[in-house]
Amino acid sequence: MRRNVVVGNWKMHGNIKSNQILLEKVIDGLQDLHHADYVVCVPNPYLFQARTLLENTNVDWGGQNVNQHEEGAFTGAVAPHMLTDLGCTYVILGHSERRSLFYETNLTAAARFDAAIKAGLTPILCVGETLAEHDAGLTEIIVASQMDAVMATLSEQDFAKAMQLNMVFAYEPVWAIGTGKSATPEQAQSVHQFIRQRVARRSPEAAEKVRIIYGGSVKANNAEPLFAMPDIDGGLIGGASLLADEFVAICQVANSVASSNCPRELTEYRSPAAPD
């Protein structure tokens, strides 16, 4: 059975004092929740602080991006081993803000994905369409292109390692990020099912196991119907992850849904219907 995961993406927010207050509240709020996984992805300067506070708790920490090179003349870049040196186990890749604001592409996301798994980091690959693409009915085409750019570069050995690391896909409709809008549970489920079917083209067994999470204005008051969907395995949380009570409440939902024996493990993907 897949294990729910909730990932907080702090983006470019925080300072030493406020980080400590936030993380201490999160640690306290999550300490008795053992049916799901919890992660915070903090700005690089605060990774050491996160490690110091989160070691020996049930909250993991990770980076918000990584470079595909292990070292070199890449001013401002962060190598995979730098994240693992600081105890990171996860890294977000291909986020829409990296694509739109920093001109990252499907190809750079694929290279970073490969570097992440070689370093032993669990990659969280973000996929999703803009409002114009959504309105034009291009959601599946866009999501497939973003996934295929990564999947096509993985050898069988690398794909197996990615599965061992419990790789995560995060469906983030760009039109729902920071807008207060959110896909309905049914809309999100449809795309999550499509993503799982796309993975099944490579491996039906992997499709059963891969975790696919939803991001896009997830709040405590809409998390339950989203996480209860059979192909939604948790959330990638933006602004709400900066509010301890809100983030803890979302994690409580993920924990509760997982502990209620939601029949997500019964879904099978033996004959994927995803289009070419």
Coordinates of all heavy atoms in Angstrom, one line a residue, residues 192-274:
H192 N -4.2 12.7 -11.9 CA -3.4 11.7 -11.2 C -3.5 10.3 -11.8 O -2.5 9.6 -11.9 CB -3.8 11.7 -9.7 CG -3.2 12.9 -8.9 ND1 -2.4 12.7 -7.8 CD2 -3.3 14.2 -9.1 CE1 -2.1 13.9 -7.3 NE2 -2.6 14.8 -8.1
Q193 N -4.7 10.0 -12.1 CA -4.9 8.7 -12.8 C -4.1 8.6 -14.1 O -3.5 7.6 -14.4 CB -6.4 8.4 -13.0 CG -6.6 7.0 -13.6 CD -8.1 6.8 -13.8 OE1 -8.8 7.6 -14.3 NE2 -8.6 5.7 -13.3
F194 N -4.2 9.7 -14.8 CA -3.4 9.8 -16.1 C -1.9 9.6 -15.9 O -1.3 8.9 -16.6 CB -3.7 11.1 -16.8 CG -2.9 11.3 -18.0 CD1 -3.2 10.7 -19.2 CD2 -1.7 12.1 -18.0 CE1 -2.4 10.9 -20.4 CE2 -0.9 12.3 -19.1 CZ -1.2 11.7 -20.3
I195 N -1.4 10.3 -14.9 CA 0.0 10.1 -14.5 C 0.4 8.7 -14.2 O 1.4 8.2 -14.7 CB 0.4 11.1 -13.4 CG1 0.3 12.5 -13.8 CG2 1.8 10.8 -12.8 CD1 0.4 13.6 -12.7
R196 N -0.5 8.1 -13.4 CA -0.2 6.7 -13.0 C -0.2 5.8 -14.2 O 0.6 4.8 -14.4 CB -1.2 6.2 -11.9 CG -0.6 5.0 -11.1 CD -1.6 4.7 -9.9 NE -1.7 5.8 -9.0 CZ -0.8 6.2 -8.1 NH1 0.3 5.5 -8.0 NH2 -1.1 7.2 -7.3
Q197 N -1.2 6.0 -15.1 CA -1.2 5.2 -16.4 C 0.0 5.4 -17.2 O 0.5 4.5 -17.9 CB -2.5 5.6 -17.1 CG -3.8 5.1 -16.5 CD -5.0 5.6 -17.1 OE1 -5.0 6.7 -17.8 NE2 -6.1 4.9 -17.0
R198 N 0.5 6.7 -17.2 CA 1.7 7.0 -18.0 C 2.9 6.2 -17.4 O 3.7 5.7 -18.2 CB 2.0 8.5 -17.9 CG 2.8 9.0 -19.1 CD 2.1 9.1 -20.3 NE 2.9 9.5 -21.5 CZ 2.4 9.5 -22.7 NH1 1.2 9.3 -23.0 NH2 3.3 9.9 -23.7
V199 N 3.0 6.1 -16.1 CA 4.1 5.3 -15.5 C 3.9 3.8 -15.9 O 4.9 3.1 -16.1 CB 4.1 5.5 -14.0 CG1 5.1 4.6 -13.3 CG2 4.4 7.0 -13.6
A200 N 2.7 3.4 -15.9 CA 2.4 2.0 -16.2 C 2.9 1.6 -17.6 O 3.1 0.4 -17.9 CB 0.9 1.7 -16.1
R201 N 3.0 2.5 -18.5 CA 3.6 2.2 -19.8 C 5.0 1.7 -19.7 O 5.5 0.9 -20.5 CB 3.6 3.5 -20.7 CG 2.2 4.0 -21.1 CD 2.3 5.5 -21.5 NE 3.1 5.7 -22.6 CZ 2.7 5.8 -23.9 NH1 1.4 5.6 -24.2 NH2 3.5 6.0 -24.9
R202 N 5.7 2.2 -18.6 CA 7.1 1.7 -18.3 C 7.0 0.4 -17.5 O 7.8 -0.5 -17.7 CB 7.8 2.8 -17.7 CG 9.3 2.5 -17.3 CD 10.2 2.4 -18.6 NE 11.6 2.2 -18.2 CZ 12.5 3.2 -18.2 NH1 12.2 4.4 -18.4 NH2 13.7 2.9 -17.9
S203 N 6.2 0.5 -16.5 CA 6.1 -0.6 -15.5 C 4.8 -0.6 -14.7 O 4.6 0.3 -13.9 CB 7.3 -0.6 -14.5 OG 7.1 -1.5 -13.4
P204 N 3.9 -1.6 -15.0 CA 2.6 -1.6 -14.2 C 2.9 -1.8 -12.7 O 2.2 -1.2 -11.9 CB 1.9 -2.9 -14.8 CG 2.4 -3.0 -16.2 CD 3.9 -2.6 -16.1
E205 N 4.0 -2.5 -12.3 CA 4.3 -2.6 -10.9 C 4.7 -1.3 -10.3 O 4.3 -1.0 -9.2 CB 5.4 -3.7 -10.8 CG 5.8 -3.9 -9.3 CD 7.0 -4.9 -9.2 OE1 7.5 -5.3 -10.2 OE2 7.3 -5.2 -8.0
A206 N 5.5 -0.5 -11.1 CA 5.9 0.8 -10.6 C 4.7 1.7 -10.5 O 4.7 2.5 -9.5 CB 7.0 1.4 -11.5
A207 N 3.8 1.6 -11.4 CA 2.6 2.5 -11.3 C 1.8 2.2 -10.1 O 1.2 3.2 -9.5 CB 1.7 2.2 -12.6
E208 N 1.8 1.0 -9.6 CA 1.1 0.7 -8.4 C 1.7 1.4 -7.2 O 1.1 1.7 -6.2 CB 1.0 -0.8 -8.1 CG 0.2 -1.6 -9.1 CD -1.3 -1.5 -8.8 OE1 -1.7 -0.9 -7.8 OE2 -2.1 -2.1 -9.6
K209 N 3.1 1.5 -7.2 CA 3.8 1.9 -6.1 C 4.2 3.4 -6.0 O 4.4 4.0 -5.0 CB 5.1 1.1 -6.0 CG 4.9 -0.4 -5.8 CD 6.3 -1.1 -5.8 CE 6.1 -2.6 -5.5 NZ 7.4 -3.3 -5.6
V210 N 4.3 4.0 -7.2 CA 4.7 5.4 -7.2 C 3.7 6.3 -6.5 O 2.5 6.2 -6.7 CB 4.9 5.9 -8.7 CG1 3.6 6.0 -9.5 CG2 5.7 7.2 -8.7
R211 N 4.3 7.3 -5.8 CA 3.4 8.2 -5.1 C 3.2 9.5 -5.9 O 4.2 10.1 -6.5 CB 4.0 8.6 -3.7 CG 4.0 7.4 -2.8 CD 4.4 7.8 -1.4 NE 5.8 8.2 -1.2 CZ 6.3 8.4 0.0 NH1 5.6 8.3 1.1 NH2 7.6 8.8 0.0
I212 N 1.9 9.9 -6.1 CA 1.6 11.1 -6.9 C 0.8 12.0 -5.9 O -0.2 11.6 -5.4 CB 0.7 10.7 -8.1 CG1 1.4 9.6 -8.9 CG2 0.5 11.9 -9.0 CD1 0.5 9.0 -10.0
I213 N 1.3 13.2 -5.8 CA 0.7 14.2 -4.8 C 0.2 15.4 -5.5 O 0.7 15.7 -6.6 CB 1.7 14.5 -3.7 CG1 3.0 15.2 -4.2 CG2 2.1 13.3 -2.9 CD1 4.0 15.7 -3.2
Y214 N -0.7 16.1 -4.9 CA -1.3 17.2 -5.5 C -0.9 18.5 -4.8 O -0.7 18.6 -3.6 CB -2.9 17.2 -5.4 CG -3.5 18.4 -5.9 CD1 -3.7 18.6 -7.3 CD2 -4.0 19.4 -5.0 CE1 -4.2 19.8 -7.7 CE2 -4.6 20.5 -5.5 CZ -4.7 20.7 -6.9 OH -5.3 21.9 -7.3
G215 N -0.6 19.5 -5.7 CA -0.2 20.8 -5.1 C -1.0 21.9 -5.9 O -1.1 21.9 -7.1
G216 N -1.5 22.9 -5.2 CA -2.2 24.0 -5.8 C -3.3 24.5 -4.8 O -4.4 24.1 -4.9
S217 N -2.8 25.4 -3.9 CA -3.7 26.0 -3.0 C -4.4 24.9 -2.1 O -5.6 25.0 -1.8 CB -4.8 26.9 -3.7 OG -4.2 27.9 -4.3
V218 N -3.6 24.0 -1.6 CA -4.1 23.0 -0.7 C -4.2 23.6 0.7 O -3.2 24.2 1.2 CB -3.2 21.7 -0.6 CG1 -3.8 20.7 0.4 CG2 -3.2 21.0 -2.0
K219 N -5.3 23.5 1.4 CA -5.5 24.0 2.7 C -6.1 22.9 3.6 O -6.6 21.8 3.1 CB -6.5 25.2 2.7 CG -6.0 26.3 1.8 CD -4.9 27.1 2.4 CE -4.6 28.4 1.6 NZ -4.2 28.2 0.2
A220 N -6.2 23.1 4.8 CA -6.8 22.1 5.7 C -8.2 21.9 5.4 O -8.7 20.7 5.5 CB -6.7 22.6 7.2
N221 N -8.9 22.9 4.9 CA -10.4 22.7 4.6 C -10.7 22.0 3.3 O -11.8 21.7 3.0 CB -11.1 24.1 4.7 CG -10.6 25.1 3.7 OD1 -9.8 24.8 2.8 ND2 -11.1 26.3 3.8
N222 N -9.7 21.8 2.4 CA -10.0 21.1 1.2 C -9.1 19.8 1.0 O -9.1 19.1 0.0 CB -9.8 22.0 0.0 CG -8.4 22.5 -0.3 OD1 -7.5 22.1 0.4 ND2 -8.2 23.3 -1.3
A223 N -8.2 19.6 2.0 CA -7.3 18.5 1.9 C -8.0 17.1 2.0 O -7.6 16.2 1.2 CB -6.2 18.5 3.1
E224 N -9.0 17.0 2.8 CA -9.6 15.6 3.0 C -10.2 15.1 1.7 O -9.9 13.9 1.3 CB -10.6 15.6 4.1 CG -11.2 14.3 4.4 CD -12.0 14.2 5.7 OE1 -12.2 15.3 6.3 OE2 -12.4 13.1 6.0
P225 N -11.1 15.8 1.0 CA -11.6 15.2 -0.2 C -10.6 15.0 -1.3 O -10.7 14.1 -2.1 CB -12.7 16.3 -0.7 CG -12.3 17.5 0.0 CD -11.7 17.1 1.3
L226 N -9.5 15.8 -1.3 CA -8.4 15.5 -2.3 C -7.6 14.3 -1.9 O -7.5 13.4 -2.8 CB -7.4 16.7 -2.3 CG -7.9 18.0 -3.0 CD1 -7.1 19.2 -2.6 CD2 -7.9 17.8 -4.5
F227 N -7.2 14.1 -0.7 CA -6.4 13.0 -0.3 C -7.2 11.7 -0.2 O -6.6 10.6 -0.2 CB -5.8 13.3 1.1 CG -4.8 14.4 1.2 CD1 -4.3 14.8 2.4 CD2 -4.4 15.1 0.0 CE1 -3.4 15.9 2.5 CE2 -3.5 16.2 0.1 CZ -3.0 16.6 1.3
A228 N -8.5 11.8 -0.2 CA -9.3 10.6 -0.2 C -9.4 9.9 -1.6 O -9.9 8.8 -1.7 CB -10.7 10.9 0.4
M229 N -9.0 10.7 -2.6 CA -9.1 10.1 -4.0 C -8.1 9.0 -4.2 O -7.0 9.0 -3.6 CB -8.8 11.3 -5.0 CG -10.0 12.3 -5.1 SD -11.4 11.5 -5.9 CE -12.7 12.5 -5.3
P230 N -8.5 8.0 -4.9 CA -7.7 6.8 -5.0 C -6.3 6.9 -5.5 O -5.4 6.1 -5.2 CB -8.5 5.8 -5.9 CG -9.4 6.7 -6.6 CD -9.7 7.8 -5.7
D231 N -6.0 8.0 -6.3 CA -4.7 8.1 -6.9 C -4.0 9.4 -6.4 O -2.9 9.7 -6.9 CB -4.8 8.2 -8.4 CG -5.1 6.9 -9.1 OD1 -4.3 5.9 -8.9 OD2 -6.2 6.8 -9.7
I232 N -4.5 10.0 -5.4 CA -3.8 11.2 -4.7 C -3.2 10.7 -3.4 O -3.9 10.3 -2.5 CB -4.8 12.3 -4.5 CG1 -5.4 12.8 -5.9 CG2 -4.1 13.5 -3.8 CD1 -6.3 13.9 -5.8
D233 N -1.9 10.8 -3.3 CA -1.2 10.2 -2.2 C -0.6 11.3 -1.3 O 0.4 11.0 -0.6 CB 0.0 9.3 -2.7 CG -0.5 8.2 -3.7 OD1 -1.5 7.6 -3.3 OD2 0.1 8.1 -4.8
G234 N -1.2 12.4 -1.2 CA -0.7 13.5 -0.4 C -0.6 14.8 -1.1 O -1.3 15.0 -2.1
G235 N 0.2 15.7 -0.6 CA 0.2 17.1 -1.1 C 1.5 17.7 -1.1 O 2.4 17.5 -0.2
L236 N 1.8 18.6 -2.1 CA 2.9 19.5 -2.1 C 2.3 20.9 -1.7 O 1.6 21.5 -2.4 CB 3.6 19.6 -3.4 CG 4.8 20.5 -3.6 CD1 5.9 20.2 -2.6 CD2 5.3 20.4 -5.0
I237 N 2.7 21.4 -0.5 CA 2.0 22.5 0.1 C 2.9 23.7 0.1 O 4.1 23.7 0.5 CB 1.7 22.2 1.6 CG1 1.1 20.8 1.8 CG2 0.8 23.3 2.2 CD1 -0.1 20.5 1.0
G238 N 2.4 24.8 -0.5 CA 3.2 26.1 -0.6 C 2.9 27.0 0.6 O 3.4 26.8 1.7
G239 N 2.1 28.0 0.4 CA 1.9 29.0 1.5 C 1.4 28.5 2.8 O 1.8 28.9 3.9
A240 N 0.6 27.4 2.8 CA 0.1 26.9 4.0 C 1.2 26.2 4.8 O 1.0 26.0 6.0 CB -1.1 25.9 3.7
S241 N 2.3 25.8 4.2 CA 3.4 25.2 4.9 C 4.1 26.2 5.8 O 4.9 25.8 6.7 CB 4.4 24.5 4.0 OG 5.1 25.5 3.2
L242 N 3.9 27.5 5.6 CA 4.5 28.5 6.5 C 3.7 28.8 7.7 O 4.1 29.6 8.5 CB 4.7 29.8 5.6 CG 5.6 29.6 4.4 CD1 5.5 30.9 3.5 CD2 7.0 29.3 4.7
L243 N 2.5 28.2 7.8 CA 1.6 28.4 9.0 C 1.6 27.1 9.7 O 1.0 26.1 9.2 CB 0.2 28.8 8.5 CG 0.2 30.1 7.7 CD1 -1.2 30.3 7.1 CD2 0.6 31.3 8.4
A244 N 2.2 27.0 10.9 CA 2.3 25.8 11.6 C 1.0 25.0 11.8 O 0.9 23.8 11.5 CB 3.1 26.0 12.9
D245 N 0.0 25.7 12.3 CA -1.3 25.1 12.6 C -1.9 24.6 11.3 O -2.5 23.5 11.3 CB -2.2 26.1 13.3 CG -1.8 26.4 14.7 OD1 -0.9 25.7 15.2 OD2 -2.3 27.5 15.2
E246 N -1.8 25.3 10.2 CA -2.4 24.9 8.9 C -1.7 23.7 8.4 O -2.3 22.7 7.9 CB -2.4 26.1 7.9 CG -3.1 25.8 6.6 CD -4.6 25.9 6.8 OE1 -5.1 26.3 7.8 OE2 -5.3 25.5 5.8
F247 N -0.4 23.7 8.4 CA 0.4 22.6 7.9 C 0.2 21.3 8.7 O 0.0 20.3 8.1 CB 1.9 23.0 7.9 CG 2.8 21.9 7.2 CD1 2.7 21.7 5.9 CD2 3.7 21.2 8.0 CE1 3.5 20.7 5.3 CE2 4.5 20.3 7.4 CZ 4.4 20.0 6.0
V248 N 0.2 21.5 10.0 CA -0.1 20.3 10.9 C -1.5 19.8 10.6 O -1.6 18.5 10.5 CB 0.1 20.7 12.3 CG1 -0.5 19.6 13.3 CG2 1.5 21.0 12.7
A249 N -2.4 20.6 10.4 CA -3.8 20.2 10.1 C -3.9 19.4 8.8 O -4.6 18.4 8.7 CB -4.8 21.3 10.1
I250 N -3.1 19.8 7.8 CA -3.1 19.1 6.5 C -2.4 17.7 6.7 O -2.9 16.7 6.2 CB -2.3 19.9 5.5 CG1 -3.1 21.2 5.1 CG2 -2.1 19.1 4.2 CD1 -2.3 22.2 4.3
C251 N -1.4 17.7 7.5 CA -0.7 16.4 7.8 C -1.6 15.5 8.6 O -1.6 14.3 8.3 CB 0.6 16.7 8.5 SG 1.9 17.6 7.6
Q252 N -2.4 16.1 9.5 CA -3.3 15.2 10.2 C -4.3 14.6 9.3 O -4.7 13.4 9.5 CB -4.0 16.1 11.3 CG -3.1 16.5 12.4 CD -3.8 17.5 13.4 OE1 -4.7 18.2 13.0 NE2 -3.4 17.5 14.6
V253 N -4.8 15.3 8.3 CA -5.7 14.7 7.3 C -5.0 13.6 6.5 O -5.6 12.5 6.4 CB -6.2 15.8 6.3 CG1 -6.9 15.2 5.1 CG2 -7.0 16.9 7.0
A254 N -3.8 13.8 6.1 CA -3.1 12.7 5.4 C -2.9 11.5 6.3 O -3.1 10.3 5.8 CB -1.7 13.2 4.9
N255 N -2.6 11.7 7.5 CA -2.4 10.6 8.5 C -3.8 9.9 8.7 O -3.8 8.7 8.7 CB -1.9 11.2 9.8 CG -1.6 10.1 10.8 OD1 -0.6 9.4 10.8 ND2 -2.6 10.0 11.8
S256 N -4.8 10.7 8.8 CA -6.1 10.1 9.1 C -6.6 9.3 7.9 O -7.2 8.2 8.0 CB -7.1 11.2 9.4 OG -8.4 10.7 9.6
V257 N -6.5 9.8 6.7 CA -6.9 9.1 5.5 C -6.1 7.8 5.4 O -6.7 6.7 5.0 CB -6.7 10.0 4.2 CG1 -6.8 9.1 3.0 CG2 -7.7 11.1 4.2
A258 N -4.8 7.8 5.6 CA -4.0 6.6 5.5 C -4.4 5.6 6.6 O -4.5 4.4 6.3 CB -2.5 7.0 5.7
S259 N -4.7 6.0 7.8 CA -5.0 5.1 8.8 C -6.5 4.5 8.7 O -6.8 3.5 9.4 CB -4.9 5.8 10.2 OG -5.8 6.8 10.3
S260 N -7.3 5.1 7.8 CA -8.6 4.6 7.6 C -8.7 3.5 6.6 O -9.8 3.1 6.2 CB -9.5 5.8 7.2 OG -9.2 6.3 5.9
N261 N -7.5 3.1 6.1 CA -7.5 2.0 5.2 C -8.2 2.3 3.9 O -9.0 1.5 3.3 CB -8.1 0.7 5.8 CG -7.3 0.2 6.9 OD1 -6.1 0.1 6.9 ND2 -8.0 -0.2 8.0
C262 N -8.0 3.5 3.4 CA -8.5 3.9 2.1 C -8.1 2.9 1.0 O -6.9 2.5 1.0 CB -8.0 5.3 1.7 SG -8.6 5.9 0.1
P263 N -9.0 2.4 0.2 CA -8.7 1.3 -0.7 C -7.9 1.6 -1.9 O -8.1 1.1 -3.0 CB -10.1 0.7 -1.1 CG -10.9 2.0 -1.1 CD -10.4 2.8 0.1
R264 N -6.9 2.5 -1.8 CA -6.1 3.0 -2.9 C -5.3 1.8 -3.5 O -4.9 1.8 -4.6 CB -5.3 4.2 -2.6 CG -4.2 3.9 -1.5 CD -3.5 5.2 -1.2 NE -4.3 6.1 -0.4 CZ -4.5 7.4 -0.9 NH1 -4.0 7.8 -2.0 NH2 -5.3 8.2 -0.2
E265 N -4.9 0.8 -2.6 CA -4.1 -0.2 -3.1 C -4.8 -1.2 -4.0 O -4.2 -2.0 -4.6 CB -3.5 -1.0 -1.9 CG -4.5 -2.0 -1.2 CD -5.3 -1.3 -0.1 OE1 -5.4 0.0 -0.2 OE2 -5.8 -2.0 0.7
L266 N -6.1 -1.1 -4.1 CA -6.9 -2.0 -5.0 C -6.9 -1.5 -6.5 O -7.3 -2.3 -7.3 CB -8.3 -2.1 -4.5 CG -8.5 -2.6 -3.0 CD1 -10.0 -2.7 -2.7 CD2 -7.8 -4.0 -2.9
T267 N -6.5 -0.3 -6.7 CA -6.5 0.2 -8.1 C -5.4 -0.5 -8.9 O -4.3 -0.6 -8.4 CB -6.3 1.7 -8.1 OG1 -7.3 2.3 -7.3 CG2 -6.4 2.2 -9.5
E268 N -5.7 -1.0 -10.1 CA -4.7 -1.7 -10.9 C -4.5 -1.0 -12.2 O -5.4 -0.4 -12.7 CB -5.1 -3.2 -11.1 CG -5.1 -4.0 -9.8 CD -5.4 -5.5 -10.1 OE1 -5.7 -5.8 -11.3 OE2 -5.4 -6.3 -9.1
Y269 N -3.3 -1.1 -12.7 CA -3.0 -0.4 -14.0 C -2.2 -1.4 -14.9 O -1.1 -1.2 -15.2 CB -2.1 0.9 -13.7 CG -2.9 1.9 -12.9 CD1 -3.0 1.9 -11.6 CD2 -3.7 2.8 -13.6 CE1 -3.7 2.8 -10.9 CE2 -4.5 3.7 -13.0 CZ -4.5 3.7 -11.6 OH -5.3 4.6 -10.9
R270 N -2.9 -2.4 -15.2 CA -2.3 -3.5 -16.1 C -2.5 -3.2 -17.6 O -1.7 -3.7 -18.3 CB -3.0 -4.8 -15.7 CG -2.8 -5.2 -14.3 CD -3.3 -6.6 -14.0 NE -3.3 -6.9 -12.6 CZ -2.2 -7.3 -12.0 NH1 -1.0 -7.4 -12.6 NH2 -2.2 -7.6 -10.7
S271 N -3.4 -2.4 -17.9 CA -3.7 -2.0 -19.3 C -3.8 -0.5 -19.5 O -4.9 0.0 -19.6 CB -4.9 -2.8 -19.9 OG -4.8 -4.1 -19.7
P272 N -2.7 0.2 -19.4 CA -2.8 1.6 -19.4 C -3.4 2.2 -20.7 O -3.1 1.7 -21.8 CB -1.3 2.1 -19.3 CG -0.5 0.9 -19.7 CD -1.3 -0.3 -19.3
A273 N -4.3 3.2 -20.5 CA -5.0 3.7 -21.7 C -4.4 5.1 -22.1 O -5.0 5.8 -22.8 CB -6.5 3.8 -21.3
A274 N -3.3 5.5 -21.5 CA -2.7 6.8 -21.8 C -2.4 6.9 -23.3 O -1.9 6.0 -23.9 CB -1.5 7.0 -21.0

